[in-house]
Amino acid sequence: MPDNRATPFLSILGLLTLWVVAALLTDDPQTLPTPWQLIPLFQRELASGELVHHLGATLIRVMWAFTLAMGFGVALGIVMGRSERVNRWLDPWLVIFLNLPALVLIVLCYLWIGLTEIAAILAVTFNKIPNVATVVREGARALSPDLDAMAKVYRMSWLARLRHVVLPQLAPFIAAAARGGVAVIWKIVLVVEFLGRSSGIGFQIHLYFQLFDVAMVLVYALSFIFVMLLVEWAILQPWERRVRRWRSA
Amino acid sequence: MIKVAILSKSYGDTQVLGRVEFAVQAGETVALVGPSGIGKSTILRIVAGIDGAFEGQVERPDAAAIVFQEPTLLPWRSALDNLLLTCPGLKRDAALHALDRVGLAGKDKEFPGQLSLGQQRRLSLARAFAGRPGMLILDEPFVSLDPHMADTMMTLTEDLIAEARPATLLVTHAEAEANRLADRVLRLQGDPATLKAES
C-alpha cells in the first residue's frame, strides 16, 4: 500500500502518463504536444514576463470575485437559512440566478457596465453568489437551537455569536462552498477574459486559439491550474485542517 | 429577583399556559414541577428570555445563566474559552478558578469532546456560575445521569448556589430532586396550565 500522502502525486502522475500516451498515439504536436514539448515554450513565456503578467491579472480577478462571492453568498445564505420569511421572498430569485447561464450574466454585465475590470469581476461574482448562498443556507437551517438559546441567555453580543457560535457550525458548509467556488470562479474568469479583457489567461487562450496554437493554450492553462493547485494545498487545505482540529482532538 | 407574570401563552390556536405568577428572591431556589408536556419548558424559555412571544411580563436580573439537560458547550472552543466567551468581562484567573471549583483544574486547554460526559456537565456548571449570575435556570440538569453521578452533581450544585446565591428556578419532573434542592416547590396543572396553590 502506498503512503496516503503520496496518493495525490501518484494520481497526477497517472494523468500525465495518460497524456503522454495520447500524445504519442496522436503523433501530431499541432493537435496534442507531449509535456516535454511545452517546457521550452513555458520557459520562454516565463523569461519574457508575459506569463507572470497574465497569471497575476487572472489571479487578482479570481481573488476579488472569490472574496465578494463568498462574503455576499455567506451573508445571504445565513439570512435565508435563519428566516423562513426572507427565504420565501428570495428563493425564487436564487432559483432564477442558479439557472441563468454564466455567459448571459457576463454578456449583460459587459453591455450594461462596459468592458471594464468592474464589469468582469461583478459578472463572475454574480455567477457564484447563488451557489454559495444555497450551500450556506443548508448549513444555517441546521444550526443548533440549543446553542442559539445558550448564546441568548448568556447575552453574547451578535459579533461573538457570529464568530464563536454560528460560523464554526457553518465551517464545513463554507469550506465546501469555498472549494467549489475557487474551481468554478477561475473557469468563469477565463470566459470573462476571453470575451472582454486585454489581459489574463483567458485573453491569452483566446489569442492562441485564433492562431490554432494548442501548445501555447496548454502552457497558459496548465500554468494557472498549477497556481490553483498551490492555492488548494497551501491555503485551503491547511485552513480546513485548522478549523476542523477540534474534531480530531 | 425574578418576577414572573404570564397571562397566557399559545402555540398557534392552542393555549398552553394560563395565568402563571410567581417570584423568586435572590438566594432562593424555586422548583417548578409537573407532568411531561404541561408547559414547564415553555415557562423556562419565557423566564430565560429565549421566547418573547407571550402575554405578560417578566422581570429578571441582567446577569443570567442556564444549565440545560445536555451540557450545550461550544465544542470548537477550549474549556477555558467556553467560560471566557459566555461571561464577558471574566478574567482568565477567575475562569481558571471556576474550572478548579468544579474539579476541572488542568483541563482548561481541552476541547469539550476530550472531556467525559460528567466533566462536560461540570464545565456547564462552571460556565453558569463563573459570571456570578443574578438569575440561574436549571432545566432538568440531572435527568440522564446515573444515581451516583446525579448525587455528586446535585451536591456540587447546592454548594455553588450557596456561594453565589442567585435567584434559582429549577425545572424538573423529579419530586426528590425538587425537594432536595428547592426552598419552595411550584406545581403546574390543568389545560391550559396554571399554578396549583402552594401548600
Side-chain angles (χ1 to χ4, degrees), chain B residues 36-51:
Chain B
S36 292
I38 196 160
K40 298 190 296 291
S41 293
T42 303
I43 292 177
L44 176 145
R45 292 176 64 81
I46 289 172
V47 175
I50 299 165
D51 186 346

Side-chain angles (χ1 to χ4, degrees), chain A residues 146-147 149-150 152-156 163-165 168-169 245-246 249, chain B residues 49-50 62 65-66 68 72-73 75-77 85-86 111 114 127-128:
Chain A
D146 290 344
L147 285 179
M150 183 277 293
K152 208 168 182 177
V153 174
Y154 284 97
R155 300 196 174 188
M156 291 175 77
R163 191 173 158 207
H164 302 295
V165 181
Q169 292 182 76
R245 73 185 194 283
W246 64 272
Chain B
I50 299 165
D62 283 340
I66 190 165
F68 295 96
T72 320
L73 302 162
W76 38 82
R77 297 286 181 261
L85 291 170
T86 46
F111 290 107
Q114 293 174 288
R127 177 180 64 189

Side-chain angles (χ1 to χ4, degrees), chain B residues 55-129:
Chain B
E55 276 182 52
Q57 207 177 345
V58 172
E59 286 175 32
R60 60 179 84 81
D62 283 340
I66 190 165
V67 180
F68 295 96
Q69 286 182 23
E70 296 302 321
T72 320
L73 302 162
L74 300 173
W76 38 82
R77 297 286 181 261
S78 69
L80 183 67
D81 282 345
N82 264 277
L83 265 56
L84 293 172
L85 291 170
T86 46
C87 309
L90 184 69
K91 297 277 187 284
R92 190 185 153 83
D93 284 349
L96 287 170
H97 175 71
L99 288 176
D100 189 19
R101 183 67 189 80
V102 298
L104 291 178
K107 302 283 185 189
D108 53 302
K109 290 189 177 67
E110 302 209 357
F111 290 107
Q114 293 174 288
L115 303 174
S116 68
L117 186 60
Q119 289 173 325
Q120 290 181 30
R121 288 179 181 275
R122 286 170 185 271
L123 180 55
S124 173
L125 267 184
R127 177 180 64 189
F129 286 94

Side-chain angles (χ1 to χ4, degrees), chain A residues 42-81:
Chain A
F42 173 79
Q43 286 172 330
R44 189 191 72 200
E45 291 300 298
L46 197 62
S48 70
E50 282 288 289
L51 185 62
V52 174
H53 167 68
H54 292 291
L55 267 178
T58 300
L59 201 56
I60 286 170
R61 288 178 191 126
V62 168
M63 287 195 310
W64 267 110
F66 177 78
T67 307
L68 290 171
M70 288 303 293
F72 285 107
V74 168
L76 192 60
I78 291 175
V79 173
M80 289 179 76

